[in-house]
Amino acid sequence: MWSTAGCSAPAICSPPGRARPSPPSEAGPVTAVYLDHNATAPLRPEARDAMLAALESVGNPSSVHRFGREARRLAEAGRRQVAALAGVAPAQIVFTGGATEANALALTGLGRRRILASAIEHDSALAWAAERIPVGGDGRVDLDALDRLLAAGGEPAIVSVMAVNNETGVIQPVAEAAAIARRHGALIHCDAVQAAGRIPLPAVGAEVDALSLSAHKLGGPQGIGALVLRDGLPLAPLLRGGAQEGRRRAGTENVAGIAGFGAAAAAVADRADMPRIAALRDELERRLTAEGAVVLGAGAPRVANTSCVAMPGVTAETQVAALDLAGVAVSAGSACSSGKVRRSHVLEAMGLPDDLAESAIRISLGPATDAEAIDRCVAAWIDLSRRRRSRAVA
Ligand code: PMP
């Protein structure tokens, strides 16, 4: 069974601690509530078991002896599970050190020097793209703008549009973007990190040419991801000097990481927990909006687990710190590194007024989230909101 009970409140941006003592309070020990699954999800028990089993065995999958063959068997089992999640053949999977690397591999390795990315992509995709596709106020990519950019001509392009935005949870029109890209002879890459296990993934082959995944967003370990490729699509490697991954990514395979990724992928593939999580998220938003919260991206289709909520007049940093003090871990958009919060390029691209964008936090639910977690979050949020309002009046 899932449990984050007993974990101490993590610092902003850091993954949840496991089974560490909780901070004492007058009412006795409190357990921390982890509502930052879009940053990283706790390791699923299935993934942990698969990893421990892999770590117990020795062997390089490239070795021909029995130990090597056993390591190869474990890696190939994980590959089949990830391939099943993506609905492709195992040979279409290239394991990487995470989605940051998968995005880099897609955007540098598919032979297109003209790179367009939606303005709300993760930085690891934006870093490679000279051209930005704007988004509307609802947080969805502007398809007419994509059409115009590609129609303006230029060399053959690759277009990167994510399946689900990590800050707002807004589902992007990937199939429509793919049809436009195809009409203009462009390739299309999709960062599906926040979609996996939550909504059906874009079809690799029929819709997109390449798709990025990351294990730690779906209950697998950190430091392992995959680029899923259309069957037969040639890819120039970033890392050279080895025949691994069909000569598309050199380096000894992360066997335990692949085993954990595979087990997590198999555990989330049926998306069975999503209706329960959607009900909890709807209840959270109902109670917060009744207290004056503004839900960003609410006008567009969204994944079940993500809520981007603004408390006008109170900075996101203040809210994250106040909720953390109350034992509730959320984040200020995804826009943080080294614990520092900076302006969100996603909310900026949506054209939100500064006061709203600067007061938005991201609350992201996961398998261990229950009604009590929602109660704790709502209570801490309302407490801060009311304190701020009474101070404003005084
Ligand atoms: N893309 C998206 C949408 C993400 O949310 C993240 C993680 N924040 C990444 C890419 C990067 O993934 P990884 O941590 O596996 O490099």
Side-chain angles (χ1 to χ4, degrees):
M1 257 307 286
W2 272 101
S3 175
T4 47
C7 66
S8 64
I12 303 168
C13 293
S14 62
R18 294 187 72 85
R20 279 188 277 130
S22 306
S25 78
E26 280 167 23
V30 279
T31 50
V33 169
Y34 187 74
L35 292 173
D36 202 11
H37 289 79
N38 286 15
T40 198
L43 194 66
R44 298 189 73 96
E46 304 90 333
R48 185 171 184 274
D49 290 349
M51 292 182 78
L52 287 176
L55 288 167
E56 294 290 332
S57 73
V58 61
N60 184 323
S62 299
S63 300
V64 292
H65 49 62
R66 68 192 57 213
F67 296 96
R69 290 200 303 278
E70 173 58 10
R72 165 75 48 215
R73 189 189 66 75
L74 290 171
E76 293 315 309
R79 188 186 306 279
R80 280 194 300 278
Q81 290 172 307
V82 174
L85 177 71
V88 299
Q92 291 172 252
I93 302 288
V94 179
F95 284 117
T96 62
T100 298
E101 185 190 333
N103 287 347
L105 195 52
L107 297 177
T108 61
L110 291 173
R112 301 288 170 97
R113 282 184 312 177
R114 183 180 176 203
I115 304 172
L116 297 86
S118 88
I120 55 166
E121 295 300 305
H122 189 261
D123 281 341
S124 58
L126 286 178
W128 303 100
E131 293 174 68
R132 301 273 186 279
I133 313 154
V135 299
D138 62 354
R140 304 244 295 172
V141 66
D142 181 339
L143 295 168
D144 292 336
L146 170 62
D147 200 21
R148 277 195 302 276
L149 281 165
L150 290 174
E155 58 182 305
I158 182 164
V159 173
S160 191
V161 173
M162 66 198 334
V164 169
N165 181 263
N166 43 305
E167 292 186 36
T168 59
V170 169
I171 299 171
Q172 300 299 315
V174 175
E176 293 87 337
I180 293 168
R182 201 145 286 178
R183 214 168 51 238
H184 292 284
L187 294 175
I188 179 141
H189 161 256
C190 176
D191 175 338
V193 162
Q194 301 287 352
R198 297 178 187 158
I199 55 170
L201 293 176
V204 177
E207 288 174 357
V208 302
D209 297 289
L211 181 129
S212 299
L213 296 173
S214 177
H216 72 100
K217 310 288 183 172
L218 44 91
Q222 296 170 346
I224 180 86
L227 184 64
V228 187
L229 290 169
R230 169 157 60 81
D231 194 22
L233 189 66
L235 177 81
L238 270 174
L239 303 184
R240 296 157 200 260
Q244 292 89 352
E245 301 301 307
R247 296 206 168 273
R248 296 169 297 190
R249 204 269 191 181
T252 301
E253 295 87 343
N254 174 358
V255 178
I258 292 171
F261 189 2
V268 302
D270 65 4
R271 306 186 298 277
D273 206 20
M274 286 304 115
R276 186 189 72 85
I277 287 183
L280 288 171
R281 196 272 313 265
D282 291 348
E283 172 66 6
L284 169 81
E285 292 188 350
R286 192 188 61 69
R287 289 161 70 183
L288 294 187
T289 48
E291 284 286 327
V294 182
V295 178
L296 308 181
R302 289 179 295 150
V303 281
N305 85 310
T306 308
S307 195
C308 186
V309 216
M311 185 191 290
V314 183
T315 65
E317 216 163 352
T318 299
Q319 294 173 63
V320 170
L323 265 65
D324 191 32
L325 270 178
V328 179
V330 300
S331 85
S334 74
C336 57
S337 55
S338 322
K340 291 259 185 294
V341 179
R342 58 182 160 74
R343 271 182 73 87
S344 153
H345 69 276
V346 173
L347 303 181
E348 200 167 78
M350 287 166 67
L352 292 172
D354 282 358
D355 60 329
L356 218 53
E358 283 162 12
S359 69
I361 57 167
R362 178 185 66 189
I363 305 172
S364 49
L365 286 54
T369 309
D370 56 12
E372 193 202 327
I374 299 300
D375 288 347
R376 293 262 308 272
C377 178
V378 169
W381 195 96
I382 290 178
D383 181 51
L384 174 65
S385 172
R386 289 187 182 165
R387 274 191 283 131
R388 281 308 171 116
R389 262 188 278 156
S390 64
R391 197 199 288 178
V393 171

mmCIF file of all heavy atoms in Angstrom, residues 284-309:
data_model
loop_
_atom_site.group_PDB
_atom_site.id
_atom_site.type_symbol
_atom_site.label_atom_id
_atom_site.label_comp_id
_atom_site.label_asym_id
_atom_site.label_seq_id
_atom_site.Cartn_x
_atom_site.Cartn_y
_atom_site.Cartn_z
ATOM 1 N N LEU A 284 -11.170 20.164 -3.912
ATOM 2 C CA LEU A 284 -10.153 21.163 -3.527
ATOM 3 C C LEU A 284 -10.463 22.505 -4.181
ATOM 4 O O LEU A 284 -10.506 23.554 -3.516
ATOM 5 C CB LEU A 284 -8.771 20.664 -3.982
ATOM 6 C CG LEU A 284 -7.618 21.658 -3.903
ATOM 7 C CD1 LEU A 284 -7.076 21.735 -2.484
ATOM 8 C CD2 LEU A 284 -6.481 21.284 -4.854
ATOM 9 N N GLU A 285 -10.707 22.474 -5.483
ATOM 10 C CA GLU A 285 -10.945 23.731 -6.205
ATOM 11 C C GLU A 285 -12.266 24.378 -5.780
ATOM 12 O O GLU A 285 -12.352 25.604 -5.681
ATOM 13 C CB GLU A 285 -10.913 23.475 -7.725
ATOM 14 C CG GLU A 285 -9.520 23.103 -8.205
ATOM 15 C CD GLU A 285 -9.388 23.025 -9.712
ATOM 16 O OE1 GLU A 285 -10.422 23.073 -10.419
ATOM 17 O OE2 GLU A 285 -8.238 22.900 -10.193
ATOM 18 N N ARG A 286 -13.276 23.553 -5.519
ATOM 19 C CA ARG A 286 -14.566 24.099 -5.084
ATOM 20 C C ARG A 286 -14.381 24.884 -3.785
ATOM 21 O O ARG A 286 -14.847 26.011 -3.643
ATOM 22 C CB ARG A 286 -15.562 22.952 -4.885
ATOM 23 C CG ARG A 286 -17.012 23.377 -4.719
ATOM 24 C CD ARG A 286 -17.914 22.213 -4.341
ATOM 25 N NE ARG A 286 -17.580 21.566 -3.079
ATOM 26 C CZ ARG A 286 -17.726 22.099 -1.862
ATOM 27 N NH1 ARG A 286 -18.195 23.314 -1.753
ATOM 28 N NH2 ARG A 286 -17.389 21.431 -0.777
ATOM 29 N N ARG A 287 -13.639 24.303 -2.846
ATOM 30 C CA ARG A 287 -13.483 24.951 -1.546
ATOM 31 C C ARG A 287 -12.562 26.173 -1.625
ATOM 32 O O ARG A 287 -12.777 27.162 -0.929
ATOM 33 C CB ARG A 287 -12.977 23.933 -0.521
ATOM 34 C CG ARG A 287 -14.084 22.925 -0.198
ATOM 35 C CD ARG A 287 -13.570 21.656 0.434
ATOM 36 N NE ARG A 287 -13.080 21.831 1.789
ATOM 37 C CZ ARG A 287 -12.527 20.857 2.506
ATOM 38 N NH1 ARG A 287 -12.405 19.651 1.989
ATOM 39 N NH2 ARG A 287 -12.100 21.076 3.723
ATOM 40 N N LEU A 288 -11.548 26.106 -2.454
ATOM 41 C CA LEU A 288 -10.636 27.257 -2.548
ATOM 42 C C LEU A 288 -11.296 28.417 -3.303
ATOM 43 O O LEU A 288 -11.147 29.582 -2.909
ATOM 44 C CB LEU A 288 -9.320 26.868 -3.231
ATOM 45 C CG LEU A 288 -8.433 25.868 -2.473
ATOM 46 C CD1 LEU A 288 -7.088 25.713 -3.175
ATOM 47 C CD2 LEU A 288 -8.207 26.293 -1.026
ATOM 48 N N THR A 289 -12.009 28.111 -4.376
ATOM 49 C CA THR A 289 -12.646 29.209 -5.123
ATOM 50 C C THR A 289 -13.723 29.888 -4.271
ATOM 51 O O THR A 289 -13.940 31.092 -4.376
ATOM 52 C CB THR A 289 -13.233 28.748 -6.477
ATOM 53 O OG1 THR A 289 -14.005 27.569 -6.267
ATOM 54 C CG2 THR A 289 -12.165 28.467 -7.496
ATOM 55 N N ALA A 290 -14.362 29.123 -3.394
ATOM 56 C CA ALA A 290 -15.366 29.726 -2.491
ATOM 57 C C ALA A 290 -14.708 30.758 -1.571
ATOM 58 O O ALA A 290 -15.389 31.625 -1.031
ATOM 59 C CB ALA A 290 -16.047 28.635 -1.669
ATOM 60 N N GLU A 291 -13.391 30.648 -1.401
ATOM 61 C CA GLU A 291 -12.644 31.591 -0.548
ATOM 62 C C GLU A 291 -11.911 32.638 -1.377
ATOM 63 O O GLU A 291 -11.010 33.309 -0.873
ATOM 64 C CB GLU A 291 -11.629 30.819 0.299
ATOM 65 C CG GLU A 291 -12.244 30.081 1.467
ATOM 66 C CD GLU A 291 -12.668 31.000 2.622
ATOM 67 O OE1 GLU A 291 -12.001 32.024 2.850
ATOM 68 O OE2 GLU A 291 -13.669 30.673 3.278
ATOM 69 N N GLY A 292 -12.197 32.704 -2.661
ATOM 70 C CA GLY A 292 -11.608 33.761 -3.482
ATOM 71 C C GLY A 292 -10.440 33.336 -4.361
ATOM 72 O O GLY A 292 -9.807 34.171 -5.014
ATOM 73 N N ALA A 293 -10.133 32.042 -4.405
ATOM 74 C CA ALA A 293 -9.032 31.581 -5.271
ATOM 75 C C ALA A 293 -9.441 31.649 -6.737
ATOM 76 O O ALA A 293 -10.630 31.537 -7.064
ATOM 77 C CB ALA A 293 -8.671 30.139 -4.917
ATOM 78 N N VAL A 294 -8.453 31.845 -7.598
ATOM 79 C CA VAL A 294 -8.692 31.828 -9.038
ATOM 80 C C VAL A 294 -7.957 30.615 -9.609
ATOM 81 O O VAL A 294 -6.745 30.464 -9.397
ATOM 82 C CB VAL A 294 -8.146 33.118 -9.708
ATOM 83 C CG1 VAL A 294 -8.435 33.118 -11.208
ATOM 84 C CG2 VAL A 294 -8.728 34.347 -9.038
ATOM 85 N N VAL A 295 -8.688 29.741 -10.298
ATOM 86 C CA VAL A 295 -8.054 28.565 -10.893
ATOM 87 C C VAL A 295 -7.601 28.922 -12.308
ATOM 88 O O VAL A 295 -8.424 29.308 -13.148
ATOM 89 C CB VAL A 295 -9.032 27.365 -10.917
ATOM 90 C CG1 VAL A 295 -8.373 26.155 -11.585
ATOM 91 C CG2 VAL A 295 -9.484 27.009 -9.508
ATOM 92 N N LEU A 296 -6.309 28.783 -12.558
ATOM 93 C CA LEU A 296 -5.769 29.164 -13.871
ATOM 94 C C LEU A 296 -5.854 27.978 -14.832
ATOM 95 O O LEU A 296 -5.575 26.844 -14.450
ATOM 96 C CB LEU A 296 -4.329 29.648 -13.717
ATOM 97 C CG LEU A 296 -4.139 30.751 -12.656
ATOM 98 C CD1 LEU A 296 -2.685 31.189 -12.581
ATOM 99 C CD2 LEU A 296 -5.033 31.948 -12.957
ATOM 100 N N GLY A 297 -6.256 28.273 -16.060
ATOM 101 C CA GLY A 297 -6.407 27.212 -17.064
ATOM 102 C C GLY A 297 -7.722 26.467 -16.926
ATOM 103 O O GLY A 297 -7.937 25.443 -17.583
ATOM 104 N N ALA A 298 -8.619 26.974 -16.074
ATOM 105 C CA ALA A 298 -9.864 26.237 -15.787
ATOM 106 C C ALA A 298 -10.772 26.149 -17.002
ATOM 107 O O ALA A 298 -11.630 25.266 -17.073
ATOM 108 C CB ALA A 298 -10.605 26.890 -14.624
ATOM 109 N N GLY A 299 -10.569 27.033 -17.991
ATOM 110 C CA GLY A 299 -11.435 27.028 -19.156
ATOM 111 C C GLY A 299 -11.057 25.975 -20.189
ATOM 112 O O GLY A 299 -11.742 25.805 -21.193
ATOM 113 N N ALA A 300 -9.972 25.268 -19.955
ATOM 114 C CA ALA A 300 -9.484 24.282 -20.935
ATOM 115 C C ALA A 300 -9.549 22.890 -20.322
ATOM 116 O O ALA A 300 -9.611 22.748 -19.098
ATOM 117 C CB ALA A 300 -8.037 24.629 -21.306
ATOM 118 N N PRO A 301 -9.525 21.843 -21.168
ATOM 119 C CA PRO A 301 -9.446 20.492 -20.593
ATOM 120 C C PRO A 301 -8.137 20.316 -19.831
ATOM 121 O O PRO A 301 -7.081 20.769 -20.291
ATOM 122 C CB PRO A 301 -9.497 19.577 -21.826
ATOM 123 C CG PRO A 301 -9.228 20.440 -23.006
ATOM 124 C CD PRO A 301 -9.573 21.841 -22.628
ATOM 125 N N ARG A 302 -8.221 19.686 -18.663
ATOM 126 C CA ARG A 302 -7.021 19.513 -17.840
ATOM 127 C C ARG A 302 -6.902 18.083 -17.342
ATOM 128 O O ARG A 302 -7.907 17.385 -17.240
ATOM 129 C CB ARG A 302 -7.077 20.444 -16.611
ATOM 130 C CG ARG A 302 -6.896 21.911 -16.952
ATOM 131 C CD ARG A 302 -6.978 22.775 -15.703
ATOM 132 N NE ARG A 302 -8.288 22.733 -15.084
ATOM 133 C CZ ARG A 302 -8.504 22.880 -13.778
ATOM 134 N NH1 ARG A 302 -7.505 23.058 -12.950
ATOM 135 N NH2 ARG A 302 -9.737 22.821 -13.296
ATOM 136 N N VAL A 303 -5.687 17.668 -16.985
ATOM 137 C CA VAL A 303 -5.529 16.364 -16.344
ATOM 138 C C VAL A 303 -6.130 16.440 -14.948
ATOM 139 O O VAL A 303 -6.276 17.525 -14.372
ATOM 140 C CB VAL A 303 -4.041 15.911 -16.242
ATOM 141 C CG1 VAL A 303 -3.546 15.369 -17.555
ATOM 142 C CG2 VAL A 303 -3.151 17.003 -15.712
ATOM 143 N N ALA A 304 -6.436 15.259 -14.401
ATOM 144 C CA ALA A 304 -7.194 15.198 -13.141
ATOM 145 C C ALA A 304 -6.403 15.658 -11.925
ATOM 146 O O ALA A 304 -6.991 16.071 -10.932
ATOM 147 C CB ALA A 304 -7.665 13.771 -12.917
ATOM 148 N N ASN A 305 -5.074 15.588 -11.971
ATOM 149 C CA ASN A 305 -4.328 15.719 -10.708
ATOM 150 C C ASN A 305 -3.782 17.108 -10.427
ATOM 151 O O ASN A 305 -3.171 17.320 -9.383
ATOM 152 C CB ASN A 305 -3.147 14.737 -10.715
ATOM 153 C CG ASN A 305 -1.944 15.325 -11.423
ATOM 154 O OD1 ASN A 305 -2.071 15.836 -12.540
ATOM 155 N ND2 ASN A 305 -0.804 15.319 -10.785
ATOM 156 N N THR A 306 -3.935 18.041 -11.387
ATOM 157 C CA THR A 306 -3.194 19.311 -11.278
ATOM 158 C C THR A 306 -4.127 20.489 -11.101
ATOM 159 O O THR A 306 -5.125 20.609 -11.813
ATOM 160 C CB THR A 306 -2.352 19.540 -12.548
ATOM 161 O OG1 THR A 306 -1.555 18.381 -12.790
ATOM 162 C CG2 THR A 306 -1.441 20.757 -12.409
ATOM 163 N N SER A 307 -3.747 21.369 -10.183
ATOM 164 C CA SER A 307 -4.514 22.580 -9.967
ATOM 165 C C SER A 307 -3.538 23.738 -9.815
ATOM 166 O O SER A 307 -2.649 23.696 -8.979
ATOM 167 C CB SER A 307 -5.333 22.405 -8.687
ATOM 168 O OG SER A 307 -6.313 23.372 -8.614
ATOM 169 N N CYS A 308 -3.712 24.743 -10.645
ATOM 170 C CA CYS A 308 -2.855 25.934 -10.554
ATOM 171 C C CYS A 308 -3.761 27.044 -10.007
ATOM 172 O O CYS A 308 -4.677 27.488 -10.694
ATOM 173 C CB CYS A 308 -2.311 26.271 -11.939
ATOM 174 S SG CYS A 308 -1.117 27.608 -11.950
ATOM 175 N N VAL A 309 -3.505 27.442 -8.773
ATOM 176 C CA VAL A 309 -4.452 28.323 -8.073
ATOM 177 C C VAL A 309 -3.764 29.609 -7.629
ATOM 178 O O VAL A 309 -2.697 29.559 -7.025
ATOM 179 C CB VAL A 309 -4.969 27.668 -6.769
ATOM 180 C CG1 VAL A 309 -6.415 28.011 -6.534
ATOM 181 C CG2 VAL A 309 -4.766 26.198 -6.733
#
